[in-house]
Amino acid sequence: MKKIFLSLFLFSGLFLMAQKEIKTLEIGSSMPMPDYKMKDVSGKEYSLNDLKKPGGIVVIFSSNQCPFVLAWEKYYNRIYAAAESAGMGMVLVNSNEALRDDEDSYDNMKIKAREQGYKAPYVVDKNHQLADAFGAKTTPHVFIFDSNGKLVYQGAINDNYQGEAKNEWVLLALRSLATGAPIEVQTTPAKGCSIKRLKK
């Protein structure tokens, strides 16, 4: 357990150093690159417009081995179910291009999706193009777009990756969208491992 938390601390430090220059989409922004095709673990290719449903779409930047993802991925299928209830689509996006020949390879993505029973498509963001357009910083990093393709929430899944959460930000946002209520918390700090971009 101590090793896990040490890894989380180190990954957080790397995130703070490496991601300062990245500008994240602001609330109200239009969904970038809606027609950009990405390969799913099934072998099919999808764009955000392909996966977006009448209510909108949930986009989660994820990875295979980040300790924060390992702690939070149990929520993915719950979020998928909540998105479906709100008439929304969902996609998991792997943008870790610098690790594509290692732990975040396409083959390892297929293993991860199968072992975890992901219900949402899990796609490859080649050369982290979508992550750059979103200003995504971490795995995980959640972006929710409404029926008009406007950003209504971005940030973390909830307030506690170590155990039971007091504030289920993503699930509450989806519940609000389903009922037509305003989303009370629209932005939270994205916590996780830095997205492993290629050096330029």
Side-chain angles (χ1 to χ4, degrees):
M1 186 64 70
K2 288 182 179 179
K3 288 183 179 179
I4 292 175
F5 291 136
L6 177 59
S7 296
L8 290 171
F9 175 77
L10 292 173
F11 274 117
S12 298
L14 289 172
F15 155 67
L16 291 171
M17 289 187 291
Q19 305 290 342
K20 287 181 180 179
E21 74 282 1
I22 295 173
K23 183 171 176 58
T24 303
L25 286 175
E26 296 181 355
I27 297 300
S29 298
S30 296
M31 184 171 67
M33 301 179 68
D35 297 313
Y36 166 57
K37 294 285 188 177
M38 296 171 286
K39 188 176 180 180
D40 175 45
V41 293
S42 67
K44 298 178 181 179
E45 290 196 345
Y46 297 109
S47 68
L48 297 182
N49 269 346
D50 292 332
L51 298 171
K52 181 177 178 288
K53 294 183 179 180
I57 189 169
V58 180
V59 180
I60 303 180
F61 290 87
S62 192
S63 59
N64 292 336
Q65 298 298 328
C66 169
F68 286 88
V69 170
L70 299 180
W72 260 320
E73 65 186 348
K74 63 186 177 184
Y75 286 92
Y76 287 178
N77 285 347
R78 283 191 241 177
I79 294 169
Y80 180 86
E84 276 205 321
S85 295
M88 303 174 71
M90 178 174 157
V91 62
L92 302 170
V93 181
N94 189 314
S95 303
N96 277 356
E97 193 66 25
L99 297 179
R100 198 66 71 206
D101 294 328
D102 192 6
E103 59 193 51
D104 280 290
S105 69
Y106 182 65
D107 285 342
N108 283 336
M109 287 175 61
K110 290 192 286 187
I111 293 170
K112 165 66 74 172
R114 183 173 64 251
E115 288 181 347
Q116 295 300 318
Y118 289 163
K119 294 183 177 179
Y122 187 25
V123 300
V124 175
D125 174 22
K126 191 173 181 180
N127 295 327
H128 43 80
Q129 295 177 72
L130 194 71
D132 291 350
F134 276 58
K137 296 181 178 181
T138 62
T139 59
H141 194 165
V142 184
F143 295 79
I144 301 177
F145 296 89
D146 66 10
S147 59
N148 297 312
K150 301 296 184 182
L151 184 67
V152 294
Y153 175 85
Q154 73 85 10
I157 289 174
N158 58 42
D159 63 357
N160 190 356
Y161 59 85
Q162 298 179 13
E164 292 302 313
K166 293 182 180 178
N167 297 291
E168 295 284 1
W169 294 313
V170 168
L171 292 176
L172 288 172
L174 293 174
R175 190 179 305 162
S176 295
L177 288 169
T179 60
I183 298 173
E184 293 186 6
V185 179
Q186 297 177 312
T187 303
T188 60
K191 294 182 179 180
C193 309
S194 63
I195 290 176
K196 303 305 185 288
R197 291 170 161 88
L198 298 170
K199 292 182 180 179
K200 295 182 180 180

